[in-house]
Amino acid sequence: MSDPTPLPQGSTIGILGGGQLGRMLALAAARLGMKTHIYCPDPDSPAFDVTPRRTVAAYDDEMALSEFAASVDVITYEFENVPAKTAAFLETLKPLRPGATALAIAQDRLAEKAFLTINRVPVAGFAAITDLDRLEAELDELGTPAVLKTTRLGYDGKGQRIVHNMEDAALAWELLSPKPLVLEAFVPFEREISVVVARSLAGDVAAFDPAENVHRDHILKTSTVPADISKKTARKAIDLAARIATALDYVGVLGVEFFVLEGGRLLVNEIAPRVHNSGHWTEAVAITDQFEQHIRAVAGWPLGDPTRLADVVMENLIGDEIAAIPLRLGESARPHAYGKSEARKGRKMGHVNRVTVKKRAK
Ligand code: AMP
């Protein structure tokens, strides 16, 4: 179902998932005169604070899903682990954007790598691992160190282990699930960047400038824009992200994470079929931010201008770092708190954008 008519103001956007990304999507939708209906099994979802309609129900509750679908004009999601069955079911009832095929590819590392390879997008050497014999053979082939990962449900470094020899690998095989796993060559990258790209229902593509990402304890800590890469590498990353969005026949915002190797060579690490943490800087310094861009795309509207107006560093506030709001931020900082009730260790509680305004000479 891809009705090309743009949704009028006052339409309702259904969002699966009630975390901070759903919350920021709902805020952007409200600014555009749209309503949101958020569906999430967790009654304590931060997005519920900012949406006029909510459903608290399981993702396999077909009765609740049907009622949800009947109440909205289009459905989107804020996380990639929406069960495939849920997506397929909803897609029979209302337009699902991005669609179930893009979701299925992005939620399975093996399907994703196969898809990228077919579309001539470079990725690290990889192999599907179905048993220990195969693991031994592929470890010989790819060399060590290597990274053994689950194919699904991995995030913030969960579901992966670096292995240096067969003994490590056998232990990692025992610990990681669900199977099969994927073995990846270790990439000696110089830096990590990401491109957040949007594609409209009409097929237009608009990308934000690449962000340079630094992780702490496997969780994104900062995204700095501009990234410390050449113009040529930035262009190449944007072209690859656009190629992926088009090949997926994608509608909405897509995050593409890259490793940058010596000499500016790029490998795609992974893609995320949603607004992306490394795109939070756009809310402070892009003409259109990633949340508005996603709402525009899923509503069938033309995309906005992604031009960046200033340099910026986005910093995630993790666990009790949220206490920096309101006192310890500094005047150039734009804080965004997610309204989560409990500041658990490792939990993303908010972020802050620190903007460098270039002062013009008088
Ligand atoms: P992922 O969950 O695949 O995004 O991986 C999380 C982080 O682990 C990445 O951002 C990298 O810092 C690191 N990592 C993942 N895969 C590799 C690899 N093949 N080689 C080197 N580092 C990796």
Side-chain angles (χ1 to χ4, degrees):
M1 272 192 262
S2 86
D3 179 0
T5 319
L7 291 180
Q9 280 195 26
S11 300
T12 302
I13 308 217
I15 301 174
L16 298 169
Q20 65 267 20
L21 300 179
R23 177 178 168 111
M24 291 187 268
L25 286 168
L27 290 170
R31 230 173 39 215
L32 297 177
M34 312 293 255
K35 300 197 185 308
T36 47
H37 183 164
I38 293 184
Y39 189 112
C40 188
D42 181 359
D44 193 23
S45 295
F48 286 163
D49 286 349
V50 299
T51 184
R53 298 206 58 184
R54 71 176 75 170
T55 295
V56 179
Y59 289 120
D60 60 359
D61 182 340
E62 292 201 349
M63 180 88 103
L65 289 171
S66 299
E67 280 172 21
F68 167 72
S71 77
V72 303
D73 298 290
V74 66
I75 301 170
T76 188
Y77 40 88
E78 59 123 41
F79 72 116
E80 59 270 46
N81 293 322
V82 174
K85 228 177 130 193
T86 308
F89 179 71
L90 288 173
E91 214 172 29
T92 63
L93 302 173
K94 279 288 153 71
L96 179 73
R97 296 174 186 155
T101 309
L103 179 69
I105 290 170
Q107 65 184 198
D108 182 311
R109 278 190 208 274
L110 273 171
E112 183 177 299
K113 286 175 192 297
F115 176 84
L116 293 172
T117 306
I118 289 166
N119 286 286
R120 296 170 293 107
V121 174
V123 296
F126 71 96
I129 305 296
T130 44
D131 55 53
L132 277 175
D133 287 344
R134 183 109 196 127
L135 179 55
E136 187 154 19
E138 295 296 350
L139 204 56
D140 266 356
E141 184 73 26
L142 287 175
T144 51
V147 189
L148 194 60
K149 300 182 176 179
T150 54
T151 56
R152 345 185 107 246
L153 306 177
Y155 67 97
D156 288 349
K158 295 188 175 76
Q160 60 176 284
R161 295 179 81 95
I162 295 187
V163 298
H164 296 91
N165 50 48
M166 191 51 205
E167 207 183 335
D168 276 2
L171 178 66
W173 169 262
E174 288 308 318
L175 293 175
L176 294 171
S177 71
K179 312 277 194 298
L181 302 178
V182 57
L183 186 69
E184 269 179 44
F186 185 84
V187 179
F189 59 82
E190 280 186 344
R191 46 183 50 87
E192 292 183 88
I193 62 165
S194 54
V195 172
V196 172
V197 64
R199 187 165 176 275
S200 72
L201 199 55
D204 296 321
V205 173
F208 295 104
D209 284 351
E212 181 163 344
N213 301 323
V214 172
H215 298 84
R216 193 183 69 190
D217 301 332
H218 302 288
I219 300 171
L220 181 68
K221 185 56 187 157
T222 58
S223 292
T224 301
V225 200
D228 187 12
I229 53 175
S230 68
K231 280 209 168 87
K232 192 172 154 208
T233 303
R235 173 96 327 258
K236 214 163 51 176
I238 286 173
D239 287 350
L240 285 169
R243 190 194 300 169
I244 295 167
T246 302
L248 286 169
D249 195 20
Y250 197 85
V251 178
V253 163
L254 172 78
V256 182
E257 297 177 15
F258 296 87
F259 297 125
V260 185
L261 287 83
E262 206 185 335
R265 219 180 118 218
L266 291 171
L267 297 176
V268 168
N269 173 25
E270 64 178 2
I271 64 177
R274 53 171 167 77
V275 286
H276 199 254
N277 193 167
S278 72
H280 291 359
W281 63 268
T282 60
E283 90 188 338
V285 297
I287 290 179
T288 309
D289 68 53
Q290 65 163 346
F291 306 103
E292 176 173 333
Q293 199 72 301
H294 187 76
I295 298 296
R296 282 171 172 259
V298 302
W301 292 15
L303 298 178
D305 182 349
T307 300
R308 179 173 59 84
L309 303 171
D311 295 354
V312 62
V313 179
M314 188 287 304
E315 182 187 352
N316 271 336
L317 300 175
I318 298 164
D320 55 19
E321 289 171 354
I322 190 68
I325 298 176
L327 295 179
R328 296 199 303 273
L329 289 176
E331 62 180 5
S332 70
R334 291 203 49 197
H336 195 142
Y338 306 148
K340 294 183 181 176
S341 44
E342 201 191 333
R344 286 196 297 272
K345 188 167 177 278
R347 193 176 196 205
K348 291 174 182 168
M349 299 298 295
H351 65 264
V352 53
N353 280 308
R354 294 201 170 78
V355 179
T356 313
V357 180
K358 288 184 196 110
K359 298 228 162 69
R360 265 196 241 139
K362 288 208 174 121

